[in-house]
């Protein structure tokens, strides 16, 4: 099975008044499987406004939703985004060939703008082809 390192990412922007949004991080190539090994989140938003994050992955034709809880919070000197939410973690997720990896950001208080970056890295592996001797 051929394998190669793979990294991808996405950005979600929530404007004041928006409570949640999904974005397709990537579509796995039809002949590959994405073995996600590590993810990182850098969010920029409003103080005392908790954010919910989740990655949606289809494995074995079943959609799984995996919430993420980055531990870092810091105030920063930025007028539009005075709070930073950040963290990274090791994961073991497998995405089916041809499936979309989705990322969700949600919040209860919709005051102010939010910008969240997610990065995923892992291995893009060939899907095992049927051998010629199999009948």
């Amino acid at each position: 099975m051929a394998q190669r390192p793979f990294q991808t990412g996405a950005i979600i922007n929530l404007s004041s008044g928006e409570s949640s949004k999904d974005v397709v991080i990537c579509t796995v190539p039809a002949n590959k499987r994405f073995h996600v090994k590590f993810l990182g989140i850098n969010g920029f938003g409003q103080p005392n406004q908790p954010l919910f994050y989740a990655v949606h992955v289809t494995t074995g034709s079943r959609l799984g939703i995996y919430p993420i809880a980055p531990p870092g919070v810091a105030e920063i000197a930025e007028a539009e985004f005075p709070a930073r939410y950040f963290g990274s973690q090791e994961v073991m997720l497998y995405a089916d060939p041809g499936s979309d990896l989705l990322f969700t950001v949600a919040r209860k208080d919709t005051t102010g703008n939010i910008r969240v970056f997610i990065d995923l890295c892992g291995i893009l592996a060939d899907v095992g082809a049927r051998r010629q001797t199999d009948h």
Side-chain angles (χ1 to χ4, degrees):
M1 180 187 304
Q3 300 182 37
R4 65 179 173 92
F6 183 70
Q7 183 170 325
T8 187
I11 301 169
I12 288 185
N13 290 298
L14 292 177
S15 298
S16 189
E18 290 183 298
S19 61
S20 69
K21 194 178 281 185
D22 298 329
V23 66
V24 174
I25 301 169
C26 74
T27 299
V28 180
N31 59 345
K32 304 285 184 182
R33 181 172 288 112
F34 185 19
H35 299 199
V36 182
K37 304 288 187 180
F38 208 81
L39 63 83
I41 291 178
N42 279 294
F44 300 89
Q46 308 307 311
N48 303 314
Q49 192 179 93
L51 302 175
F52 169 81
Y53 313 95
V55 174
H56 307 239
V57 179
T58 301
T59 306
S61 299
R62 183 184 179 283
L63 179 64
I65 299 172
Y66 300 92
I68 302 156
V73 179
E75 290 185 21
I76 58 176
E78 167 66 45
E80 187 177 6
F81 304 111
R84 181 174 181 213
Y85 303 91
F86 56 94
S88 57
Q89 66 188 54
E90 189 174 8
V91 296
M92 197 179 317
L93 300 172
Y94 303 95
D96 284 350
S99 67
D100 288 337
L101 272 80
L102 296 173
F103 179 52
T104 297
V105 175
R107 61 184 173 166
K108 183 177 179 181
D109 179 358
T110 61
T111 304
N113 296 328
I114 300 290
R115 178 170 293 139
V116 179
F117 299 82
I118 184 167
D119 288 294
L120 303 174
C121 69
I123 301 293
L124 207 54
D126 288 342
V127 176
R130 214 171 121 178
R131 296 184 321 172
Q132 294 293 332
T133 57
D134 293 343
H135 296 289

